[in-house]
Each structure stands twice: as C-alpha cells, then as structure tokens.
Amino acid sequence: MSCIDFDIQSTVSRRVLNNTVTGLKYDSVFYADDTILFSTDNRALNELLRITETFSGQYGLRLNRHKCSAIPMNNDGNIHFDDAMPLPKNYEATYLGNELNREINIVKHEILNKLQTVRITWFKLLPYWKASDANVKWKLRIFDAVIRAKLLYGLETWKRFILQKPC
C-alpha cells in the first residue's frame, strides 16, 4: 500500500493537493484491504479515486465496488469510478470498525452503537455468568477479553473528536 500511495501522491494534480480537508495532511488512508479518500472538492475526489483505481490495478489490486460509498458532506456532487459508474451516496459507513457519518457526531452514533453492542453481548453472557462455577478471576478474564475489547475497539479514534471540535 505504501507503493500505491507513493505513486498516487507523485501523480495527483494541484487541484487534489489544494483541496485536502482542513487540519489533515493527507487525503487517503490505506489499511490492509480498506481505503478511505478525502477531499473538499468533487472533481479532486473523482481524480483521486481514478488514480487510486489505476495504480491499485497496476499492483494487481482493485477496489470492491460493492463496498464503496460516498458520504457527501458539503454538497451532493457526483463521485464516480473511472468508467463513470457512480458511487452510492450514504449517510454513514463503517471503516475499520468505526462509524463515519455525515454529521460527524461521535456521541450520537458511534458511542451509542458501541454501548448497545456491549449490552447485547453482556446479556448473551448472562447464562454463563449465572450458571458457571468458574472463579471470579476467570470471569474477569472473560469480561476483559469480550466485553472490554468490544467497548474499546477503535476508541483511540474518538479522542480527537471528543477533545476537539471537528473541522
């Protein structure tokens, strides 16, 4: 992914470079097989998507179009693949286990969803908690591995949004 990113950054136009999101020094994130692209301009984002598709293809990779979506923030412009197939517009999407949404409202969406998921898991474990003759130390290990892990997964991404006002 580092090679693809290098090739992309070496190729993009001034339009892409001049339309990064305020406060970010990057316009894309590549993690394993997940990709996210940012821009404040639709034409720049279309260019970035086209170049990402092109260089990914040169390395034998391709975007899974069924998983791709656009979350328009400032306008309803059209984002599309190189062959003019439009990206579906969504209000929210999940990236690396974290919910991204148009409102950039971490508390309303992400934290409440995490708490609901943890609550469901807790109630699924209730029969075990009640029926097991496991000692407290073992139950705490299970709690740590299951409940705490679910709650804290992706928490490091919240810090920026909770401590600072979003751009």
Side-chain angles (χ1 to χ4, degrees):
M1 298 309 292
S2 296
C3 295
I4 293 171
D5 187 48
F6 177 82
D7 290 346
I8 291 168
Q9 296 307 317
S10 300
T11 305
V12 295
S13 69
R14 274 274 163 227
R15 174 177 222 104
V16 172
L17 296 173
N18 292 336
N19 285 289
T20 57
V21 175
T22 304
L24 295 182
K25 294 180 180 170
Y26 52 87
D27 52 15
S28 55
V29 175
F30 303 104
Y31 185 82
D33 64 347
D34 290 314
T35 302
I36 188 168
L37 306 174
F38 309 94
S39 183
T40 58
D41 178 79
N42 286 335
R43 288 192 337 194
L45 187 57
N46 279 312
E47 177 187 336
L48 188 57
L49 178 59
R50 179 183 54 77
I51 293 171
T52 300
E53 279 189 289
T54 299
F55 284 115
S56 296
Q58 290 178 6
Y59 288 91
L61 303 172
R62 63 180 168 74
L63 298 175
N64 183 338
R65 292 181 174 202
H66 299 290
K67 291 184 175 183
C68 293
S69 65
I71 303 176
M73 301 293 240
N74 301 326
N75 61 54
D76 284 332
N78 294 317
I79 308 301
H80 53 83
F81 293 102
D82 198 27
D83 65 1
M85 180 181 146
L87 265 77
K89 295 176 186 175
N90 289 321
Y91 175 73
E92 59 192 26
T94 302
Y95 181 72
L96 301 178
N98 294 289
E99 185 181 301
L100 305 174
N101 62 68
R102 186 178 181 139
E103 292 176 355
I104 312 173
N105 188 332
I106 296 296
V107 174
K108 182 178 178 185
H109 293 280
E110 186 70 17
I111 293 175
L112 292 178
N113 286 344
K114 289 277 186 198
L115 290 173
Q116 183 64 23
T117 301
V118 168
R119 182 179 164 86
I120 289 168
T121 304
W122 176 266
F123 282 111
K124 284 181 180 178
L125 285 171
L126 267 180
Y128 171 77
W129 302 128
K130 291 179 180 179
S132 174
D133 59 354
N135 63 36
V136 172
K137 185 176 180 180
W138 182 250
K139 288 181 180 180
L140 286 173
R141 281 184 163 180
I142 292 171
F143 174 85
D144 226 26
V146 178
I147 302 296
R148 186 184 307 222
K150 275 190 174 296
L151 184 61
L152 298 182
Y153 177 70
L155 187 62
E156 64 277 358
T157 61
W158 298 349
K159 179 181 176 186
R160 175 173 181 244
F161 294 102
I162 291 173
L163 297 178
Q164 301 175 10
K165 291 183 179 180
C167 305

